[in-house]
């Protein structure tokens, strides 16, 4: 990792003394004060709830500029990748750092096909989850269990990056489809060697012994685009979780399982399901979305306009723009005209973006606002939307875990704190306690 040290220094004055701290600069001009020596020099730490101003690492995987609405994977614009690539190509790019040659892609695709099955003992795990079990809970449990069935992947994780990444990408796809079939009470559909990554997933989800699933190339193309757009997003909550858990030298599967749990949250990847539930509620109530905008603006109401706002983007999330167009295209290719939920979403966006509350806070639609419209059109149920987000984010998580694991600067993640609890007090024996100790 090229350290972007500069000869510039930040000066801070504390208790009458002036201290200097190095300034570092990223490839796209981001600037940081390197505070690694702060406490040793000054005895002070920094406090930054939610890490809104704090960088956790140097990374060469994804660049995003929240002010200009720029997103690049390994230097390539998301718009180009979404337009010209398959998800498998982009997964290879994120993991390896280069777009695959035809031979590399063939080899990677062959591995994905070879690793598509899960151990038959794992298939029986599904019989023990209750029918109402959350697909995200099932996914996190099953991914964590992989290290019991494939211990070789935990001993020397970086010996064969392709196999490690392909095994996870392929088996998580199978686990996701199997969990859906199990919640439906249907027999699982095994992966086929003759189908592409996305076509295989759709077939495992929707094929049935009594109703063969007809692969629609436009739907397959839309799924590739959806997964690409979710591929990575630098140090978001779930990716930071994967890196933090991995920094304790935890194997890839357990680190990814922790990332899946973080993604589950409605403020993060769970928002796509919450958007669909919000749009369906608005539709069921006759389309009156203004009530939801007023609720979102009310400081005394915890309701947030889900699918809006972002920690980094203070302008349009480039992914949301692409997904808005893709939702129109997919619905048209399926001869669905005037989808009421898409119409509500578009009107909601239009009204919110003219409202001072949203304008003043730079609140725009994010990746979760339109994605559910497309998943729903494909027949994927809302409680599987966040699983789809995880499927897309997997290559990004793998890439970040590997970058962290390989980085000589990596130390176990262990933040400091400012203590605000009680000061030392005398111990009170049980017999003398009044309940106020
Ligand atoms: C993802 O980090 C990533 O990169 C994530 C992600 C990825 O690819 O990994 O992009 C995926 O998680 C997208 C975000 C999905 N979540 C949602 O759509 C949930 C709704 N959005 C919000 O909860 C919120 O916008 C967050 C969580 C996304 C960001 O929260 P921040 O950065 O902590 O911002 P904040 O809560 O401090 O809000 C700042 C102001 C507040 O108002 P004031 O106190 O200043 O008056 O904006 C308001 C907030 O109340 N606000 C909203 C709002 N989002 C922020 N008000 C109404 N509706 C919203 N959606």
């Amino acid at each position: 990792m090229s350290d972007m040290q500069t000869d510039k220094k930040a000066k801070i004055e504390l208790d009458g003394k002036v201290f200097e701290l190095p300034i570092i600069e990223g490839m796209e001009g981001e600037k940081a004060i390197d505070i690694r020596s702060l406490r040793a020099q000054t005895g002070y730490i920094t406090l930054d709830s939610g890490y809104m101003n704090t960088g956790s690492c140097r990374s060469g995987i994804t660049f995003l500029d929240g002010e200009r609405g720029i997103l690049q994977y390994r230097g390539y614009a998301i718009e180009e990748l979404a337009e010209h690539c398959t998800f498998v190509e982009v997964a290879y790019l994120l993991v390896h750092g280069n777009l695959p040659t035809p031979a590399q892609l063939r080899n990677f695709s062959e591995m994905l096909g070879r690793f598509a099955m899960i151990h038959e003992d794992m298939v029986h795990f599904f019989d023990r989850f209750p029918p109402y079990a959350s697909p995200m809970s099932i996914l996190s449990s099953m991914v964590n269990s992989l290290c019991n069935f494939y211990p070789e992947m935990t001993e020397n994780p970086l010996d064969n990056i392709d196999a490690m990444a392909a095994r996870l990408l392929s088996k998580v796809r199978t686990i996701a489809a199997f969990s859906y079939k199990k919640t439906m009470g249907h027999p699982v559909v095994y992966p086929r060697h003759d189908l592409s990554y996305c076509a295989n997933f759709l077939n495992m989800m929707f094929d049935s012994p009594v109703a063969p699933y007809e692969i629609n190339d436009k739907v397959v193309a839309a799924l590739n685009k959806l997964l690409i757009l979710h591929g990575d997003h630098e140090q978001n909550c779930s990716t930071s979780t994967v890196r933090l858990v991995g920094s304790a030298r935890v194997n890839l599967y357990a680190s990814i399982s922790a990332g899946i749990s973080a993604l589950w949250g409605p403020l993060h990847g769970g928002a796509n399901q919450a958007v669909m539930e919000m749009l369906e509620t608005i539709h069921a109530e006759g389309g009156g979305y203004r009530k939801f905008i007023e609720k979102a603006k009310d400081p005394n109401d915890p309701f947030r306009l889900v699918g809006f706002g972002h920690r980094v983007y203070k302008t349009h999330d480039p992914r949301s723009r692409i997904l808005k167009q893709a939702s129109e295209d997919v619905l048209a290719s399926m001869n669905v005209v005037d989808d009421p939920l898409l119409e509500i979403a578009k009107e909601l966006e239009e009204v919110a973006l003219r409202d001072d509350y949203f304008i003043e806070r730079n609140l725009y639609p994010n990746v979760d606002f339109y994605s559910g419209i497309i998943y729903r059109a494909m027949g994927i149920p809302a409680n599987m939307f966040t699983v789809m987000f995880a499927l897309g984010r997997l290559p990004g998580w793998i890439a970040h875990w590997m970058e962290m694991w390989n980085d000589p600067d990596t130390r176990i993640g262990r933040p400091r704190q400012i203590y605000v609890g009680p000061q030392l007090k005398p111990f009170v024996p049980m017999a003398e306690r009044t309940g106020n100790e």
Side-chain angles (χ1 to χ4, degrees):
M1 181 82 54
S2 66
D3 193 335
M4 313 303 282
Q5 289 282 6
T6 69
D7 53 9
K8 298 175 200 160
K9 299 285 183 196
K11 289 184 181 171
I12 52 172
E13 184 177 341
L14 293 168
D15 308 327
K17 287 170 68 180
V18 175
F19 299 90
E20 289 194 344
L21 293 164
I23 298 280
I24 66 173
E25 202 163 308
M27 289 301 286
E28 293 288 347
E30 322 97 288
K31 295 176 176 57
I33 301 169
D34 183 343
I35 59 168
R36 284 176 290 182
S37 64
L38 177 70
R39 190 169 185 272
Q41 280 194 59
T42 70
Y44 282 66
I45 65 167
T46 58
L47 182 64
D48 187 19
S49 300
Y51 309 114
M52 298 182 82
N53 306 280
T54 300
S56 60
C57 63
R58 295 177 184 79
S59 178
I61 299 169
T62 289
F63 169 68
L64 64 90
D65 181 316
E67 281 66 38
R68 293 183 291 160
I70 291 172
L71 174 58
Q72 295 166 359
Y73 296 163
R74 301 286 191 178
Y76 293 99
I78 190 65
E79 293 82 2
E80 300 265 25
L81 297 173
E83 184 62 30
H84 302 298
C85 290
T86 64
F87 173 62
V88 171
E89 271 181 274
V90 172
Y92 187 98
L93 167 69
L94 284 166
V95 169
H96 284 274
N98 64 286
L99 285 169
T101 62
Q104 289 168 332
L105 185 62
R106 264 195 314 276
N107 179 49
F108 195 55
S109 300
E110 188 275 327
M111 274 190 182
L112 287 167
R114 187 155 26 104
F115 292 139
M117 303 284 277
I118 59 175
H119 195 292
E120 276 299 306
D121 288 354
M122 287 191 80
V123 180
H124 298 306
F125 283 15
F126 289 105
D127 301 335
R128 296 291 176 265
F129 288 110
Y132 49 80
S134 155
M136 283 299 278
S137 162
I138 293 173
L139 187 64
S140 179
S141 314
M142 295 294 278
V143 167
N144 212 339
S145 301
L146 283 171
C147 62
N148 300 314
F149 290 87
Y150 305 98
E152 71 281 9
M153 295 310 293
T154 61
E155 282 132 24
N156 309 298
L158 302 186
D159 282 358
N160 187 337
I161 293 169
D162 258 350
M164 182 185 71
R167 178 169 266 134
L168 204 50
L169 284 163
S170 198
K171 292 185 187 310
V172 171
R173 171 191 52 177
T174 301
I175 289 167
F178 280 19
S179 67
Y180 169 66
K181 283 298 201 186
K182 283 294 180 177
T183 54
M184 299 296 286
H186 296 171
V188 296
V189 172
Y190 283 86
R192 281 173 36 183
H193 65 84
D194 61 327
L195 293 177
S196 69
Y197 186 89
C198 287
N200 228 333
F201 172 74
L202 291 165
N203 192 61
M204 286 194 274
M205 284 283 288
F206 302 120
D207 192 41
S208 137
V210 294
Y213 177 69
E214 193 177 323
I215 306 281
N216 175 332
D217 290 344
K218 291 186 184 299
V219 174
V220 172
L223 182 56
N224 273 290
K225 186 171 283 189
L226 269 163
L227 296 180
I228 288 169
L229 292 169
H230 288 82
D232 191 51
H233 216 237
E234 55 138 90
Q235 303 307 318
N236 59 85
C237 179
S238 52
T239 301
S240 299
T241 301
V242 170
R243 291 182 78 117
L244 183 63
V245 169
S247 72
R249 284 311 194 217
V250 169
N251 70 72
L252 176 65
Y253 300 144
S255 303
I256 297 281
S257 174
I260 292 169
S261 299
L263 188 72
W264 192 358
L267 293 185
H268 189 14
N272 56 17
Q273 177 177 344
V275 168
M276 188 49 60
E277 288 159 359
M278 177 180 73
L279 295 176
E280 284 174 342
T281 302
I282 294 172
H283 181 50
E285 293 178 358
Y289 51 79
R290 287 189 182 280
K291 177 181 80 174
F292 289 83
I293 289 183
E294 294 315 311
K295 268 174 71 67
K297 291 162 61 178
D298 179 354
N300 301 313
D301 189 327
F303 174 77
R304 290 280 174 93
L305 195 62
V306 278
F308 262 72
H310 199 276
R311 171 60 57 77
V312 176
Y313 288 123
K314 299 310 170 190
T315 181
H316 281 274
D317 180 332
R319 302 168 296 176
S320 170
R321 285 183 185 275
I322 298 170
L323 285 169
K324 181 176 181 180
Q325 183 54 52
S327 51
E328 308 249 19
D329 298 345
V330 168
L331 291 171
S333 74
M334 300 172 82
N335 302 316
V336 175
V337 289
D338 301 332
D339 176 88
L341 300 191
L342 177 57
E343 294 315 309
I344 290 170
K346 292 196 298 186
E347 286 172 33
L348 197 51
E349 175 186 1
E350 199 180 319
V351 171
L353 293 188
R354 287 203 307 266
D355 185 296
D356 287 345
Y357 173 91
F358 291 85
I359 295 168
E360 286 157 11
R361 292 167 179 79
N362 298 309
L363 302 177
Y364 291 84
N366 56 49
V367 68
D368 293 307
F369 193 62
Y370 286 104
S371 55
I373 300 276
I374 306 174
Y375 290 137
R376 172 175 167 270
M378 291 174 177
I380 295 170
N383 71 345
M384 283 283 291
F385 287 4
T386 312
V387 170
M388 298 307 295
F389 194 140
L391 206 51
R393 186 52 52 89
L394 209 42
W397 285 335
I398 294 168
H400 279 276
W401 184 89
M402 282 167 44
E403 183 179 71
M404 174 278 303
W405 196 277
N406 273 326
D407 184 348
D409 266 359
T410 293
R411 323 255 317 257
I412 185 170
R414 199 265 183 234
R416 292 270 181 171
Q417 65 165 26
I418 295 293
Y419 177 69
V420 293
Q423 292 183 303
L424 182 65
K425 52 189 178 179
F427 178 75
V428 181
M430 180 65 83
E432 297 166 29
R433 288 177 200 163
T434 61
N436 298 319
E437 288 74 22

